[in-house]
Amino acid sequence: GQQVMQIPQYQHVQEGEDFTTYCNSSTTLSNIQWYKQRPGGHPVFLIQLVKSGEVKKQKRLTFQFGEAKKNSSLHITATQTTDVGTYFCAGVPFSGAGSYQLTFGKGTKLSVIP
Amino acid sequence: GAGVSQTPSNKVTEKGKYVELRCDPISGHTALYWYRQSLGQGPEFLIYFQGTGAADDSGLPNDRFFAVRPEGSVSTLKIQRTERGDSAVYLCASSLSGTEDTQYFGPGTRLTVL
């Protein structure tokens, strides 16, 4: 079955440093979505990427979708303590079967040291 | 407007017992998903409903797990003969039409099987 790998598993950064998490799927994706989960919370949708090579920005967050639609990255510029949490990528496969189940990576847990 | 709600927020049960977990999706959302999240892992897909029917139940781990959505709104996840390995946070998500729409997650039910 489809697998989504995400690295690194943990990242500790000093406040103000940049942060990047990488996501790689074993199969071509229809789209990829990114979620943030705060400690004790539930996943909160950040963004969806659909097109090959797509780049989207949300303030200090930059999301990229690879040309082959198998990998993606999330980059945060100048981290703040409010960025703390676990960032998950989740892929929707090209199945054509009408199922839109998300396959999540294991997430990257970000800690920001003030 | 109201988001996805789930009840109970916490459920403690004994091995072998039967449990029901409830999900109230966002009003008007036709697609509903159940996921299971174990500690340190990303959410794992269980089942997807489009309207009243289970369009994809490929993620249900075994026949002890069953879910219904009789009127196309509220859904109930039912677990028979619970095992300690069933302990996890059960997340429900809904989306507008189940195509490639954003999935909005509820706060989850933390199930503990003693």
Side-chain angles (χ1 to χ4, degrees):
Chain A
Q2 182 196 17
Q3 291 185 329
V4 174
M5 279 107 5
Q6 201 173 342
I7 57 169
Q9 191 173 356
Y10 302 96
Q11 185 77 57
H12 306 277
V13 300
Q14 202 76 35
E15 189 173 18
E17 291 182 340
D18 291 356
F19 158 76
T20 304
T21 173
Y22 301 90
C23 183
N24 194 53
S25 169
S26 58
T27 60
T28 303
L29 300 171
S30 169
N31 69 81
I32 195 159
Q33 301 176 26
W34 285 90
Y35 289 79
K36 177 182 179 181
Q37 187 171 23
R38 292 183 183 275
H42 59 276
V44 174
F45 174 80
L46 294 176
I47 208 156
Q48 177 178 273
L49 304 171
V50 179
K51 299 177 184 176
S52 170
E54 188 169 17
V55 178
K56 287 188 176 180
K57 294 191 175 185
Q58 288 180 350
K59 297 182 180 178
R60 295 178 294 103
L61 277 61
T62 301
F63 303 84
Q64 293 188 342
F65 200 11
E67 294 291 338
K69 300 186 74 173
K70 294 181 72 174
N71 55 68
S72 182
S73 66
L74 158 59
H75 179 81
I76 302 179
T77 303
T79 54
Q80 300 175 358
T81 54
T82 53
D83 296 326
V84 164
T86 301
Y87 292 84
F88 292 99
C89 62
V92 177
F94 269 123
S95 67
S99 173
Y100 303 99
Q101 59 170 280
L102 291 170
T103 299
F104 281 79
K106 289 190 173 182
T108 296
K109 187 173 182 179
L110 173 64
S111 301
V112 178
I113 306 162
Chain B
V4 178
S5 62
Q6 292 185 246
T7 55
S9 55
N10 279 285
K11 176 71 177 177
V12 180
T13 190
E14 292 179 344
K15 180 175 179 294
K17 298 288 188 183
Y18 167 83
V19 297
E20 289 190 352
L21 313 179
R22 176 188 167 108
C23 172
D24 258 289
I26 293 172
S27 178
H29 280 195
T30 63
L32 185 146
Y33 306 79
W34 283 98
Y35 293 85
R36 178 169 70 174
Q37 187 172 24
S38 300
L39 195 62
Q41 304 292 317
E44 173 192 16
F45 170 79
L46 296 176
I47 187 168
Y48 156 59
F49 285 92
Q50 182 57 256
T52 60
D56 182 353
D57 63 358
S58 62
L60 295 177
N62 52 60
D63 61 6
R64 294 187 298 105
F65 289 75
F66 189 71
V68 295
R69 195 185 183 198
E71 297 179 357
S73 178
V74 170
S75 175
T76 305
L77 178 66
K78 308 180 181 193
I79 310 174
Q80 298 177 322
R81 305 182 305 280
T82 51
E83 299 177 356
R84 293 195 179 88
D86 298 334
S87 297
V89 175
Y90 289 81
L91 295 163
C92 175
S94 70
S95 68
L96 188 59
S97 65
T99 53
E100 292 178 345
D101 295 329
T102 300
Q103 294 185 26
Y104 296 92
F105 282 79
T109 294
R110 181 174 298 278
L111 175 66
T112 303
V113 182
L114 301 176

